[in-house]
Amino acid sequence: MLFLLSSSSTSPLLSLCRKIPLKTLTTKTLSHLHSTMSTNLKTHAFAGNPLRSTTPKPESLFSPISAFETLKSRLLENALLPSSPIFKVLPFRKGRPLAISTRPTGDSPPIWHLGWFNLGDFKGFLANSEFQPTENSFVYLGSRSEDDVVYWGIDVSEDSSLVPQFGAKHFGFVELRTLMVATDWTDERAMSDLAIAGHARALLEWHNISHFCGHCGEKTVPMEAGRRKQCSNALCKKRIYPRVDPPGESLEEAVRRETWEETGVEVGEVIYHSSQPWPVGPNSMPCQLMMGFFAYAKSVEINVDKEELEDAQWHSREDVKKALTFAEYKKAQRTAAAKVEQMCKGVEKGQNLSADFNVESGELATMFIPGPFAIAHHLISSWVNQVPLNGVEAQLKQPSGSLSNL
């Protein structure tokens, strides 16, 4: 999502509504939410993963290589197994992490948690299924040496018999987008869990689409506890890593080009705002990196490319600020949290265990703003609340070559 500013004293905002197959939920907050929480979150959704802050040295028991050797021993149940570190496993099914929901006392909405299992308990579930994983079925997610734990992700999609087993313990495989909206944004633990789940899903999805070497076509094999893959062809042995391919142009050039192609608006100076991992994209692009910019317009005439955008309009700061008050964060979060609880309790007849959901607004507004889970929300609220960009307040910025007024 891109937002353009003019350089006039009123600094209107150009909103670009992308034509993408995503179910966008608007947000509802208390009267002060749009000016506080939405701009003061420590990280975006899916960012701030606590398991990736540091990588242990290779000789550490918590490093990917050492932990992987221990994992192989524990799967084979060899004698004299090391007691440290503890291994915890997070199962996924068709891109959905396992979760469980608890309901605190009072009027508080349900709270979801990731469905971690100790390796021994997880093997107990596997004993009653046809799914027999090898060490290469697991991917290393990270560690916390302070609690003596190494965390692993695993895709169990090939065995549907595990679903009722987990369901009997009130666990359910829940769509990551549902968990995203159900997350209490003031809860650091929940935000951390969301980041862990997003990273795990992205890594597992990468494994699912990288079975063959793009250089010679031979099969690939996981290496370094699933953190990379390598071609099995002895004459190739190409190393393969998860990556974001460069577009062949600078980010600033991409902003200017896409803005011109999709809206007909010419852009001058471009200022970076922030980025956000986005592992809940459409099936064709399941794991993406969203990047947000403010760009200063050199022209105001709009000519929308309907193949790419639903619409593009100029809005005053006051109009956008009013739209933020219509946001339905609390309503959407409570609805999603209740949905997670319902799914983890069991499946009603005719109901899809991991069905997505939608929240319709009961109010009418001239525009609706995506919730705090989206980078678009933070771009908008930063502009509305005049949050400094690289030390310069947006509405006071007067870049050379931009319009002086509208």
Side-chain angles (χ1 to χ4, degrees), residues 138-200:
F138 295 83
V139 295
Y140 177 90
L141 301 181
S143 65
R144 284 185 175 137
S145 57
E146 63 272 17
D147 55 11
D148 196 37
V149 178
V150 173
Y151 297 88
W152 302 87
I154 187 170
D155 190 338
V156 299
S157 300
E158 64 183 70
D159 189 351
S160 59
S161 68
L162 288 169
V163 175
Q165 285 196 64
F166 291 134
K169 301 292 184 180
H170 303 295
F171 288 88
F173 290 101
V174 183
E175 183 71 44
L176 195 57
R177 184 183 298 277
T178 303
L179 295 179
M180 173 184 73
V181 183
T183 299
D184 182 349
W185 299 90
T186 62
D187 186 340
E188 286 191 32
R189 194 275 321 158
M191 290 291 282
S192 295
D193 273 3
L194 190 65
I196 294 170
H199 169 60

Short mmCIF file of all heavy atoms in Angstrom, two decimals, residues 138-200:
data_model
loop_
_atom_site.label_atom_id
_atom_site.label_comp_id
_atom_site.label_asym_id
_atom_site.label_seq_id
_atom_site.Cartn_x
_atom_site.Cartn_y
_atom_site.Cartn_z
N PHE A 138 11.13 -31.69 10.29
CA PHE A 138 11.10 -30.58 11.24
C PHE A 138 11.93 -29.42 10.73
O PHE A 138 12.96 -29.60 10.08
CB PHE A 138 11.66 -31.02 12.60
CG PHE A 138 10.84 -32.07 13.29
CD1 PHE A 138 10.98 -33.42 12.96
CD2 PHE A 138 9.94 -31.73 14.29
CE1 PHE A 138 10.23 -34.40 13.60
CE2 PHE A 138 9.19 -32.70 14.94
CZ PHE A 138 9.34 -34.03 14.59
N VAL A 139 11.49 -28.21 11.01
CA VAL A 139 12.29 -27.02 10.69
C VAL A 139 12.57 -26.26 11.99
O VAL A 139 11.71 -26.11 12.86
CB VAL A 139 11.57 -26.10 9.68
CG1 VAL A 139 11.43 -26.79 8.34
CG2 VAL A 139 10.22 -25.63 10.18
N TYR A 140 13.79 -25.82 12.10
CA TYR A 140 14.26 -25.09 13.28
C TYR A 140 13.69 -23.68 13.28
O TYR A 140 13.87 -22.93 12.32
CB TYR A 140 15.78 -25.06 13.26
CG TYR A 140 16.45 -24.28 14.37
CD1 TYR A 140 16.80 -24.89 15.57
CD2 TYR A 140 16.78 -22.94 14.19
CE1 TYR A 140 17.44 -24.18 16.57
CE2 TYR A 140 17.41 -22.22 15.18
CZ TYR A 140 17.76 -22.85 16.37
OH TYR A 140 18.39 -22.14 17.38
N LEU A 141 12.99 -23.31 14.35
CA LEU A 141 12.37 -21.99 14.45
C LEU A 141 13.18 -21.03 15.30
O LEU A 141 13.05 -19.81 15.16
CB LEU A 141 10.95 -22.10 15.00
CG LEU A 141 9.97 -22.95 14.20
CD1 LEU A 141 8.61 -22.95 14.87
CD2 LEU A 141 9.86 -22.47 12.76
N GLY A 142 13.98 -21.57 16.21
CA GLY A 142 14.76 -20.71 17.09
C GLY A 142 14.80 -21.28 18.49
O GLY A 142 14.32 -22.38 18.75
N SER A 143 15.38 -20.52 19.39
CA SER A 143 15.55 -21.02 20.75
C SER A 143 15.44 -19.88 21.75
O SER A 143 15.51 -18.70 21.39
CB SER A 143 16.92 -21.69 20.90
OG SER A 143 17.96 -20.72 20.74
N ARG A 144 15.27 -20.29 22.99
CA ARG A 144 15.33 -19.37 24.11
C ARG A 144 16.19 -20.04 25.17
O ARG A 144 15.73 -20.92 25.90
CB ARG A 144 13.94 -19.09 24.68
CG ARG A 144 13.09 -18.13 23.84
CD ARG A 144 11.80 -17.84 24.55
NE ARG A 144 11.01 -16.84 23.85
CZ ARG A 144 9.70 -16.93 23.68
NH1 ARG A 144 9.05 -17.98 24.12
NH2 ARG A 144 9.04 -15.99 23.06
N SER A 145 17.44 -19.67 25.24
CA SER A 145 18.35 -20.31 26.19
C SER A 145 17.93 -20.05 27.63
O SER A 145 18.18 -20.86 28.52
CB SER A 145 19.78 -19.83 25.96
OG SER A 145 19.86 -18.41 26.06
N GLU A 146 17.24 -18.91 27.84
CA GLU A 146 16.83 -18.58 29.21
C GLU A 146 15.80 -19.55 29.77
O GLU A 146 15.68 -19.71 30.98
CB GLU A 146 16.31 -17.15 29.30
CG GLU A 146 15.06 -16.86 28.48
CD GLU A 146 15.36 -16.44 27.06
OE1 GLU A 146 16.49 -16.68 26.61
OE2 GLU A 146 14.46 -15.87 26.41
N ASP A 147 15.02 -20.20 28.88
CA ASP A 147 14.07 -21.20 29.37
C ASP A 147 14.42 -22.60 28.88
O ASP A 147 13.62 -23.51 28.96
CB ASP A 147 12.62 -20.85 28.99
CG ASP A 147 12.44 -20.65 27.49
OD1 ASP A 147 13.37 -20.98 26.73
OD2 ASP A 147 11.37 -20.18 27.09
N ASP A 148 15.65 -22.77 28.35
CA ASP A 148 16.17 -24.09 27.99
C ASP A 148 15.31 -24.79 26.96
O ASP A 148 15.05 -25.99 27.06
CB ASP A 148 16.30 -24.95 29.25
CG ASP A 148 17.19 -26.17 29.03
OD1 ASP A 148 18.19 -26.05 28.31
OD2 ASP A 148 16.87 -27.25 29.56
N VAL A 149 14.83 -24.04 25.96
CA VAL A 149 13.90 -24.60 24.98
C VAL A 149 14.36 -24.29 23.56
O VAL A 149 14.82 -23.18 23.27
CB VAL A 149 12.47 -24.05 25.17
CG1 VAL A 149 11.53 -24.60 24.11
CG2 VAL A 149 11.95 -24.39 26.56
N VAL A 150 14.25 -25.30 22.68
CA VAL A 150 14.41 -25.12 21.23
C VAL A 150 13.05 -25.41 20.58
O VAL A 150 12.38 -26.38 20.95
CB VAL A 150 15.47 -26.07 20.64
CG1 VAL A 150 15.48 -25.99 19.11
CG2 VAL A 150 16.86 -25.72 21.18
N TYR A 151 12.65 -24.56 19.65
CA TYR A 151 11.31 -24.64 19.05
C TYR A 151 11.42 -25.12 17.60
O TYR A 151 12.29 -24.70 16.84
CB TYR A 151 10.64 -23.27 19.10
CG TYR A 151 10.40 -22.77 20.51
CD1 TYR A 151 11.39 -22.04 21.18
CD2 TYR A 151 9.21 -23.02 21.17
CE1 TYR A 151 11.19 -21.59 22.47
CE2 TYR A 151 8.99 -22.57 22.47
CZ TYR A 151 9.98 -21.86 23.11
OH TYR A 151 9.79 -21.41 24.40
N TRP A 152 10.46 -26.00 17.23
CA TRP A 152 10.43 -26.59 15.90
C TRP A 152 9.03 -26.45 15.29
O TRP A 152 8.03 -26.45 16.01
CB TRP A 152 10.79 -28.08 15.96
CG TRP A 152 12.11 -28.39 16.57
CD1 TRP A 152 12.38 -28.57 17.90
CD2 TRP A 152 13.36 -28.54 15.89
NE1 TRP A 152 13.71 -28.82 18.09
CE2 TRP A 152 14.35 -28.82 16.86
CE3 TRP A 152 13.74 -28.48 14.54
CZ2 TRP A 152 15.68 -29.03 16.54
CZ3 TRP A 152 15.08 -28.70 14.22
CH2 TRP A 152 16.03 -28.96 15.21
N GLY A 153 8.98 -26.37 13.97
CA GLY A 153 7.71 -26.41 13.26
C GLY A 153 7.67 -27.66 12.40
O GLY A 153 8.71 -28.17 11.97
N ILE A 154 6.46 -28.17 12.16
CA ILE A 154 6.31 -29.35 11.31
C ILE A 154 4.97 -29.30 10.59
O ILE A 154 3.96 -28.86 11.17
CB ILE A 154 6.43 -30.66 12.14
CG1 ILE A 154 6.45 -31.89 11.22
CG2 ILE A 154 5.32 -30.75 13.19
CD1 ILE A 154 6.80 -33.17 11.94
N ASP A 155 4.96 -29.73 9.34
CA ASP A 155 3.74 -29.77 8.53
C ASP A 155 3.17 -31.18 8.59
O ASP A 155 3.82 -32.14 8.17
CB ASP A 155 4.07 -29.40 7.08
CG ASP A 155 2.82 -29.19 6.23
OD1 ASP A 155 1.75 -29.72 6.60
OD2 ASP A 155 2.92 -28.52 5.19
N VAL A 156 1.95 -31.32 9.13
CA VAL A 156 1.31 -32.64 9.27
C VAL A 156 0.12 -32.77 8.33
O VAL A 156 -0.79 -33.58 8.58
CB VAL A 156 0.87 -32.89 10.74
CG1 VAL A 156 2.06 -32.88 11.67
CG2 VAL A 156 -0.16 -31.84 11.19
N SER A 157 0.12 -32.01 7.24
CA SER A 157 -1.04 -31.97 6.33
C SER A 157 -1.38 -33.32 5.74
O SER A 157 -2.55 -33.58 5.41
CB SER A 157 -0.78 -30.97 5.19
OG SER A 157 -0.55 -29.68 5.69
N GLU A 158 -0.40 -34.19 5.58
CA GLU A 158 -0.65 -35.45 4.89
C GLU A 158 -1.43 -36.45 5.71
O GLU A 158 -1.86 -37.48 5.18
CB GLU A 158 0.68 -36.08 4.45
CG GLU A 158 1.59 -36.48 5.58
CD GLU A 158 2.92 -37.03 5.07
OE1 GLU A 158 3.72 -36.24 4.54
OE2 GLU A 158 3.15 -38.25 5.22
N ASP A 159 -1.64 -36.19 7.00
CA ASP A 159 -2.37 -37.15 7.83
C ASP A 159 -3.55 -36.46 8.51
O ASP A 159 -3.39 -35.71 9.46
CB ASP A 159 -1.44 -37.74 8.89
CG ASP A 159 -2.07 -38.90 9.64
OD1 ASP A 159 -3.29 -39.13 9.46
OD2 ASP A 159 -1.37 -39.57 10.41
N SER A 160 -4.76 -36.72 8.01
CA SER A 160 -5.96 -36.10 8.57
C SER A 160 -6.36 -36.72 9.90
O SER A 160 -7.18 -36.14 10.62
CB SER A 160 -7.12 -36.22 7.57
OG SER A 160 -7.38 -37.59 7.27
N SER A 161 -5.80 -37.87 10.26
CA SER A 161 -6.19 -38.53 11.51
C SER A 161 -5.74 -37.75 12.74
O SER A 161 -6.24 -37.96 13.85
CB SER A 161 -5.62 -39.95 11.57
OG SER A 161 -4.21 -39.92 11.70
N LEU A 162 -4.78 -36.84 12.55
CA LEU A 162 -4.31 -36.05 13.69
C LEU A 162 -5.32 -34.97 14.09
O LEU A 162 -5.31 -34.53 15.24
CB LEU A 162 -2.96 -35.40 13.36
CG LEU A 162 -1.76 -36.35 13.30
CD1 LEU A 162 -0.55 -35.64 12.71
CD2 LEU A 162 -1.44 -36.87 14.69
N VAL A 163 -6.18 -34.55 13.16
CA VAL A 163 -7.14 -33.49 13.45
C VAL A 163 -8.07 -33.87 14.60
O VAL A 163 -8.20 -33.11 15.57
CB VAL A 163 -7.93 -33.11 12.18
CG1 VAL A 163 -9.02 -32.09 12.52
CG2 VAL A 163 -7.00 -32.55 11.12
N PRO A 164 -8.75 -35.02 14.55
CA PRO A 164 -9.61 -35.38 15.69
C PRO A 164 -8.83 -35.64 16.98
O PRO A 164 -9.34 -35.40 18.07
CB PRO A 164 -10.34 -36.64 15.22
CG PRO A 164 -9.52 -37.17 14.10
CD PRO A 164 -8.88 -36.00 13.45
N GLN A 165 -7.60 -36.12 16.85
CA GLN A 165 -6.79 -36.33 18.05
C GLN A 165 -6.52 -35.01 18.76
O GLN A 165 -6.68 -34.92 19.99
CB GLN A 165 -5.45 -36.98 17.68
CG GLN A 165 -5.52 -38.45 17.33
CD GLN A 165 -4.14 -39.08 17.37
OE1 GLN A 165 -3.51 -39.14 18.42
NE2 GLN A 165 -3.66 -39.54 16.22
N PHE A 166 -6.11 -34.01 18.01
CA PHE A 166 -5.88 -32.70 18.61
C PHE A 166 -7.20 -32.09 19.07
O PHE A 166 -7.26 -31.43 20.12
CB PHE A 166 -5.20 -31.77 17.61
CG PHE A 166 -3.77 -32.14 17.30
CD1 PHE A 166 -3.31 -32.16 16.00
CD2 PHE A 166 -2.89 -32.47 18.32
CE1 PHE A 166 -2.00 -32.50 15.70
CE2 PHE A 166 -1.57 -32.81 18.04
CZ PHE A 166 -1.13 -32.83 16.72
N GLY A 167 -8.26 -32.30 18.29
CA GLY A 167 -9.56 -31.74 18.65
C GLY A 167 -10.07 -32.28 19.97
O GLY A 167 -10.75 -31.56 20.72
N ALA A 168 -9.76 -33.53 20.29
CA ALA A 168 -10.18 -34.12 21.56
C ALA A 168 -9.55 -33.41 22.75
O ALA A 168 -10.07 -33.45 23.86
CB ALA A 168 -9.84 -35.61 21.59
N LYS A 169 -8.42 -32.75 22.50
CA LYS A 169 -7.73 -31.99 23.56
C LYS A 169 -8.03 -30.49 23.44
O LYS A 169 -7.37 -29.67 24.06
CB LYS A 169 -6.23 -32.21 23.45
CG LYS A 169 -5.79 -33.67 23.58
CD LYS A 169 -6.02 -34.20 24.98
CE LYS A 169 -5.50 -35.62 25.13
NZ LYS A 169 -5.72 -36.15 26.50
N HIS A 170 -9.04 -30.15 22.63
CA HIS A 170 -9.48 -28.76 22.43
C HIS A 170 -8.45 -27.90 21.70
O HIS A 170 -8.35 -26.70 21.93
CB HIS A 170 -9.87 -28.11 23.76
CG HIS A 170 -10.94 -28.85 24.49
ND1 HIS A 170 -12.23 -28.99 24.01
CD2 HIS A 170 -10.92 -29.54 25.67
CE1 HIS A 170 -12.95 -29.71 24.85
NE2 HIS A 170 -12.19 -30.06 25.86
N PHE A 171 -7.68 -28.53 20.82
CA PHE A 171 -6.80 -27.81 19.92
C PHE A 171 -7.42 -27.80 18.53
O PHE A 171 -8.13 -28.73 18.16
CB PHE A 171 -5.42 -28.48 19.84
CG PHE A 171 -4.58 -28.34 21.07
CD1 PHE A 171 -4.68 -29.26 22.11
CD2 PHE A 171 -3.69 -27.29 21.20
CE1 PHE A 171 -3.90 -29.14 23.25
CE2 PHE A 171 -2.91 -27.15 22.33
CZ PHE A 171 -3.02 -28.08 23.36
N GLY A 172 -7.15 -26.75 17.77
CA GLY A 172 -7.65 -26.68 16.40
C GLY A 172 -6.65 -26.01 15.50
O GLY A 172 -5.86 -25.15 15.93
N PHE A 173 -6.63 -26.39 14.22
CA PHE A 173 -5.80 -25.72 13.23
C PHE A 173 -6.57 -24.49 12.74
O PHE A 173 -7.62 -24.61 12.14
CB PHE A 173 -5.49 -26.66 12.06
CG PHE A 173 -4.56 -27.78 12.44
CD1 PHE A 173 -5.06 -29.05 12.70
CD2 PHE A 173 -3.20 -27.56 12.53
CE1 PHE A 173 -4.21 -30.09 13.05
CE2 PHE A 173 -2.34 -28.59 12.88
CZ PHE A 173 -2.84 -29.86 13.14
N VAL A 174 -6.02 -23.31 13.01
CA VAL A 174 -6.74 -22.06 12.78
C VAL A 174 -6.02 -21.22 11.72
O VAL A 174 -4.79 -21.09 11.75
CB VAL A 174 -6.87 -21.25 14.09
CG1 VAL A 174 -7.70 -19.99 13.86
CG2 VAL A 174 -7.49 -22.11 15.19
N GLU A 175 -6.80 -20.67 10.81
CA GLU A 175 -6.26 -19.80 9.77
C GLU A 175 -5.45 -18.67 10.41
O GLU A 175 -5.89 -18.03 11.38
CB GLU A 175 -7.42 -19.21 8.96
CG GLU A 175 -7.00 -18.33 7.81
CD GLU A 175 -6.38 -19.13 6.68
OE1 GLU A 175 -6.92 -20.20 6.33
OE2 GLU A 175 -5.35 -18.67 6.15
N LEU A 176 -4.26 -18.43 9.87
CA LEU A 176 -3.37 -17.43 10.45
C LEU A 176 -3.99 -16.03 10.40
O LEU A 176 -3.79 -15.21 11.30
CB LEU A 176 -2.03 -17.44 9.70
CG LEU A 176 -0.86 -16.72 10.35
CD1 LEU A 176 -0.58 -17.28 11.74
CD2 LEU A 176 0.39 -16.83 9.48
N ARG A 177 -4.78 -15.76 9.36
CA ARG A 177 -5.45 -14.46 9.28
C ARG A 177 -6.44 -14.29 10.43
O ARG A 177 -6.60 -13.20 10.97
CB ARG A 177 -6.16 -14.33 7.93
CG ARG A 177 -6.81 -12.98 7.70
CD ARG A 177 -7.55 -12.99 6.38
NE ARG A 177 -6.64 -13.22 5.29
CZ ARG A 177 -5.90 -12.26 4.71
NH1 ARG A 177 -5.99 -11.02 5.16
NH2 ARG A 177 -5.09 -12.53 3.71
N THR A 178 -7.13 -15.37 10.79
CA THR A 178 -8.07 -15.30 11.91
C THR A 178 -7.33 -15.00 13.21
O THR A 178 -7.76 -14.15 14.01
CB THR A 178 -8.84 -16.62 12.04
OG1 THR A 178 -9.50 -16.92 10.82
CG2 THR A 178 -9.87 -16.55 13.16
N LEU A 179 -6.22 -15.67 13.44
CA LEU A 179 -5.41 -15.40 14.63
C LEU A 179 -4.90 -13.96 14.63
O LEU A 179 -4.82 -13.32 15.68
CB LEU A 179 -4.24 -16.37 14.71
CG LEU A 179 -4.59 -17.85 14.91
CD1 LEU A 179 -3.31 -18.69 14.95
CD2 LEU A 179 -5.40 -18.06 16.18
N MET A 180 -4.55 -13.47 13.45
CA MET A 180 -4.06 -12.10 13.33
C MET A 180 -5.08 -11.10 13.86
O MET A 180 -4.76 -10.20 14.64
CB MET A 180 -3.73 -11.80 11.87
CG MET A 180 -3.36 -10.37 11.56
SD MET A 180 -3.11 -10.10 9.78
CE MET A 180 -4.81 -10.16 9.18
N VAL A 181 -6.34 -11.26 13.45
CA VAL A 181 -7.37 -10.31 13.88
C VAL A 181 -7.77 -10.57 15.33
O VAL A 181 -8.16 -9.66 16.05
CB VAL A 181 -8.59 -10.41 12.95
CG1 VAL A 181 -9.65 -9.38 13.34
CG2 VAL A 181 -8.18 -10.18 11.50
N ALA A 182 -7.65 -11.83 15.78
CA ALA A 182 -8.04 -12.17 17.15
C ALA A 182 -7.01 -11.73 18.18
O ALA A 182 -7.26 -11.80 19.38
CB ALA A 182 -8.25 -13.69 17.26
N THR A 183 -5.86 -11.28 17.73
CA THR A 183 -4.78 -10.92 18.65
C THR A 183 -5.07 -9.61 19.37
O THR A 183 -5.47 -8.63 18.75
CB THR A 183 -3.45 -10.80 17.89
OG1 THR A 183 -3.13 -12.05 17.30
CG2 THR A 183 -2.32 -10.39 18.81
N ASP A 184 -4.87 -9.61 20.69
CA ASP A 184 -4.95 -8.39 21.48
C ASP A 184 -3.64 -7.63 21.29
O ASP A 184 -2.58 -8.09 21.71
CB ASP A 184 -5.16 -8.74 22.96
CG ASP A 184 -5.30 -7.51 23.83
OD1 ASP A 184 -5.04 -6.39 23.35
OD2 ASP A 184 -5.66 -7.66 25.01
N TRP A 185 -3.72 -6.45 20.67
CA TRP A 185 -2.50 -5.75 20.28
C TRP A 185 -1.76 -5.13 21.46
O TRP A 185 -0.67 -4.62 21.29
CB TRP A 185 -2.86 -4.69 19.23
CG TRP A 185 -3.44 -5.35 18.05
CD1 TRP A 185 -4.75 -5.63 17.82
CD2 TRP A 185 -2.73 -5.91 16.95
NE1 TRP A 185 -4.90 -6.33 16.64
CE2 TRP A 185 -3.67 -6.50 16.09
CE3 TRP A 185 -1.37 -5.97 16.62
CZ2 TRP A 185 -3.30 -7.13 14.92
CZ3 TRP A 185 -1.02 -6.59 15.44
CH2 TRP A 185 -1.97 -7.16 14.61
N THR A 186 -2.36 -5.17 22.64
CA THR A 186 -1.65 -4.69 23.83
C THR A 186 -0.96 -5.83 24.57
O THR A 186 -0.31 -5.60 25.58
CB THR A 186 -2.64 -4.01 24.80
OG1 THR A 186 -3.62 -4.98 25.25
CG2 THR A 186 -3.36 -2.87 24.12
N ASP A 187 -1.11 -7.04 24.08
CA ASP A 187 -0.55 -8.23 24.72
C ASP A 187 0.74 -8.62 24.01
O ASP A 187 0.72 -9.15 22.90
CB ASP A 187 -1.57 -9.38 24.65
CG ASP A 187 -1.12 -10.61 25.41
OD1 ASP A 187 0.09 -10.75 25.67
OD2 ASP A 187 -1.98 -11.46 25.73
N GLU A 188 1.90 -8.37 24.64
CA GLU A 188 3.18 -8.67 24.02
C GLU A 188 3.34 -10.15 23.74
O GLU A 188 3.92 -10.55 22.72
CB GLU A 188 4.34 -8.17 24.90
CG GLU A 188 4.51 -6.66 24.90
CD GLU A 188 5.81 -6.25 25.56
OE1 GLU A 188 6.80 -7.00 25.46
OE2 GLU A 188 5.83 -5.18 26.18
N ARG A 189 2.84 -10.99 24.62
CA ARG A 189 2.95 -12.44 24.41
C ARG A 189 2.20 -12.86 23.17
O ARG A 189 2.71 -13.64 22.34
CB ARG A 189 2.40 -13.16 25.65
CG ARG A 189 2.71 -14.64 25.76
CD ARG A 189 1.76 -15.55 25.03
NE ARG A 189 0.38 -15.14 25.08
CZ ARG A 189 -0.52 -15.54 24.19
NH1 ARG A 189 -0.18 -16.33 23.18
NH2 ARG A 189 -1.77 -15.13 24.27
N ALA A 190 0.99 -12.34 22.99
CA ALA A 190 0.20 -12.69 21.82
C ALA A 190 0.86 -12.19 20.54
O ALA A 190 0.87 -12.88 19.52
CB ALA A 190 -1.21 -12.12 21.95
N MET A 191 1.40 -10.98 20.57
CA MET A 191 2.09 -10.45 19.39
C MET A 191 3.32 -11.28 19.05
O MET A 191 3.62 -11.52 17.88
CB MET A 191 2.48 -9.00 19.65
CG MET A 191 1.31 -8.04 19.70
SD MET A 191 0.51 -7.80 18.10
CE MET A 191 1.67 -6.67 17.33
N SER A 192 4.03 -11.75 20.08
CA SER A 192 5.20 -12.60 19.85
C SER A 192 4.79 -13.94 19.24
O SER A 192 5.43 -14.44 18.32
CB SER A 192 5.95 -12.84 21.17
OG SER A 192 6.50 -11.64 21.67
N ASP A 193 3.71 -14.52 19.77
CA ASP A 193 3.21 -15.79 19.22
C ASP A 193 2.81 -15.64 17.76
O ASP A 193 3.04 -16.53 16.93
CB ASP A 193 2.01 -16.29 20.03
CG ASP A 193 2.43 -17.12 21.23
OD1 ASP A 193 3.65 -17.26 21.45
OD2 ASP A 193 1.55 -17.63 21.94
N LEU A 194 2.18 -14.51 17.42
CA LEU A 194 1.77 -14.27 16.04
C LEU A 194 2.99 -14.19 15.13
O LEU A 194 2.98 -14.74 14.02
CB LEU A 194 0.97 -12.97 15.97
CG LEU A 194 0.26 -12.70 14.64
CD1 LEU A 194 -0.83 -13.73 14.38
CD2 LEU A 194 -0.34 -11.29 14.64
N ALA A 195 4.06 -13.54 15.60
CA ALA A 195 5.28 -13.44 14.81
C ALA A 195 5.92 -14.81 14.61
O ALA A 195 6.40 -15.14 13.52
CB ALA A 195 6.25 -12.48 15.48
N ILE A 196 5.93 -15.63 15.67
CA ILE A 196 6.50 -16.98 15.57
C ILE A 196 5.71 -17.81 14.57
O ILE A 196 6.27 -18.49 13.71
CB ILE A 196 6.51 -17.66 16.95
CG1 ILE A 196 7.47 -16.94 17.90
CG2 ILE A 196 6.89 -19.13 16.82
CD1 ILE A 196 7.37 -17.40 19.34
N ALA A 197 4.38 -17.75 14.68
CA ALA A 197 3.52 -18.52 13.77
C ALA A 197 3.70 -18.07 12.33
O ALA A 197 3.73 -18.89 11.40
CB ALA A 197 2.06 -18.39 14.19
N GLY A 198 3.83 -16.77 12.12
CA GLY A 198 4.02 -16.25 10.77
C GLY A 198 5.34 -16.70 10.17
O GLY A 198 5.40 -17.11 9.00
N HIS A 199 6.40 -16.65 10.97
CA HIS A 199 7.71 -17.10 10.49
C HIS A 199 7.69 -18.59 10.17
O HIS A 199 8.21 -19.03 9.14
CB HIS A 199 8.77 -16.80 11.54
CG HIS A 199 10.09 -17.45 11.27
ND1 HIS A 199 10.83 -17.19 10.14
CD2 HIS A 199 10.81 -18.35 11.98
CE1 HIS A 199 11.95 -17.90 10.16
NE2 HIS A 199 11.96 -18.61 11.25
N ALA A 200 7.08 -19.38 11.06
CA ALA A 200 7.01 -20.83 10.85
C ALA A 200 6.24 -21.16 9.58
O ALA A 200 6.65 -22.03 8.79
CB ALA A 200 6.37 -21.50 12.06
#
